[in-house]
Amino acid sequence: MVTSKEKMVFLGALANIISSIMIVLLNKWIYTKYNFPNMTLTCIHFVVTSLGLLICRHANIFQPKSLPFLSMLPLALSFCGFVVFTNLSLESNTVGTYQIIKTMTTPCIIVIQTYFYGRHFSRNVKLTLIPITIGVFLNSVYDVKFNLIGIIFATVGVLITSLYQVWVGEKQHELQVNSMQLLYYQAPLSAFLLLFVIPFFEPLDAFHGVFFNWPFEALVSVFMSACIAFIVNLSIFWIIGNTSPVTYNMIGHLKFCMTLFGGYVLFHDPIQVLQLLGIFTTVGGVVAYTHIKREEMKITSNLPTVGDNHAKS
């Protein structure tokens, strides 16, 4: 019997998958067609997300909660670091190298939650990381070309991304807020902090011919991208708050495979046998993780409540 919470988790994950794939394709179009600066677009995304949440607040969809600035600052800073170093990694490495190192986010999150937050992960959950890691590796192995600077950027990016995703879940529980209440404060603060980072990575001459010669379709594309980003950002916070950072990463691996397979079907991108095998291996790992977590939740729900011995994983 599927519970109402499981239905909501499924719908949230579905919204995240669809919106994430859409924004990848749309941003790829914006970058290649108009050469739009990456971090600037991210900053615009968070500005629009802030405005969207402001509208939701006035529509009484949620009620804001006063949060301490010092508690929100690490979350906003980690987001900026996550954006900066993942962009530098993607800029310095090939897509294959970038994706392979990015898969280390999931085991990194498990290590952080195990040793710093006292979380417990069953052996079966840990075992599902094996086919997922192998699957994404097979998807990308044909394109691996390492360089030292790129590896440093990618490694720092994985560490900061892992911290960011862990803190999103921890802050929601620590401050007793929902996804909208937390994002309502984090989005504008992150956009503000990014304004100080952008000039170092995207000099003013990068905007030459952009702001003054924007065609109408470019404006529409950027606006659509920002609106979709609102759904992506909100669904990320919602999924992590209602499940866990590990579950969100499992969904992320599935999104990667679907995007790759969609490129093959829609755009006739070349795909090798090992890549196809990697897709099915990753999907198999995600399905196994979902089944194991659901069975563990059933067992936990049937046990008497004694303190807080059953931490989320």
Side-chain angles (χ1 to χ4, degrees):
M1 184 70 179
V2 180
T3 64
S4 58
K5 181 178 180 180
E6 288 177 330
K7 289 180 181 178
M8 292 301 295
V9 169
F10 172 77
L11 291 175
L14 185 63
N16 181 262
I17 290 172
I18 293 174
S19 59
S20 295
I21 293 174
M22 288 177 63
I23 202 168
V24 166
L25 297 175
L26 185 56
N27 285 354
K28 182 179 178 180
W29 168 264
I30 293 172
Y31 295 146
T32 56
K33 179 73 174 180
Y34 305 107
N35 196 30
F36 198 92
N38 196 318
M39 291 184 196
T40 300
L41 184 61
T42 302
C43 187
I44 292 173
H45 285 175
F46 266 80
V47 169
V48 173
T49 295
S50 302
L51 294 175
L53 288 168
L54 190 62
I55 293 172
C56 290
R57 172 191 175 180
H58 286 289
N60 292 321
I61 296 177
F62 76 99
Q63 293 298 321
K65 184 177 180 179
S66 180
L67 302 177
F69 174 78
L70 291 179
S71 293
M72 293 302 300
L73 189 59
L75 187 63
L77 285 172
S78 64
F79 169 76
C80 293
F82 145 65
V83 171
V84 170
F85 282 100
T86 52
N87 283 338
L88 288 173
S89 172
L90 190 56
E91 180 180 340
S92 305
N93 298 310
T94 60
V95 175
T97 301
Y98 166 79
Q99 189 62 48
I100 287 175
I101 300 177
K102 189 178 177 183
T103 61
M104 296 308 296
T105 301
T106 302
C108 188
I109 285 174
I110 288 181
V111 170
I112 291 172
Q113 290 195 312
T114 299
Y115 291 100
F116 294 97
Y117 291 94
R119 297 293 190 264
H120 172 71
F121 297 87
S122 68
R123 182 181 63 179
N124 289 336
V125 167
K126 294 175 182 177
L127 287 175
T128 60
L129 298 178
I130 297 175
I132 289 171
T133 303
I134 292 175
V136 180
F137 179 84
L138 289 174
N139 285 331
S140 308
V141 70
Y142 72 99
D143 194 32
V144 177
K145 295 178 182 177
F146 290 102
N147 73 79
L148 181 59
I149 298 299
I151 295 301
I152 293 173
F153 286 150
T155 302
V156 176
V158 165
L159 292 173
I160 297 179
T161 300
S162 301
L163 278 174
Y164 173 70
Q165 293 183 10
V166 168
W167 284 344
V168 165
E170 292 296 326
K171 290 298 181 183
Q172 289 192 50
H173 294 285
E174 173 191 333
L175 301 173
Q176 291 299 298
V177 293
N178 59 35
S179 55
M180 281 189 164
Q181 289 172 327
L182 186 63
L183 190 57
Y184 180 75
Y185 284 92
Q186 192 254 317
L189 182 56
S190 295
F192 176 74
L193 292 174
L194 274 177
L195 292 177
F196 295 95
V197 177
I198 289 173
F200 293 98
F201 296 95
E202 296 174 355
L204 293 177
D205 58 3
F207 298 90
H208 179 69
V210 175
F211 286 111
F212 301 103
N213 296 307
W214 259 356
F216 178 73
E217 59 268 21
L219 293 171
V220 173
S221 298
V222 170
F223 178 73
M224 288 178 59
S225 175
C227 291
I228 297 172
F230 170 68
I231 300 174
V232 173
N233 291 327
L234 191 60
S235 61
I236 288 173
F237 276 65
W238 193 89
I239 291 170
I240 293 177
N242 287 275
T243 57
S244 72
V246 175
T247 297
Y248 172 70
N249 268 268
M250 295 297 181
I251 295 172
H253 296 322
L254 182 60
K255 286 186 292 188
F256 169 73
C257 290
M258 292 177 66
T259 303
L260 184 68
F261 191 72
Y264 170 72
V265 173
L266 298 175
F267 305 109
H268 306 291
D269 292 341
I271 188 169
Q272 299 180 7
V273 175
L274 285 178
Q275 287 180 271
L276 193 60
L277 177 62
I279 291 175
F280 289 115
T281 303
T282 300
V283 171
V286 173
V287 171
Y289 172 84
T290 303
H291 174 73
I292 291 169
K293 287 301 297 177
R294 188 175 181 187
E295 292 301 314
E296 289 181 353
M297 287 175 65
K298 286 181 180 179
I299 295 174
T300 302
S301 63
N302 291 329
L303 292 175
T305 302
V306 180
D308 187 20
N309 297 323
H310 303 289
K312 291 188 347 180
S313 59

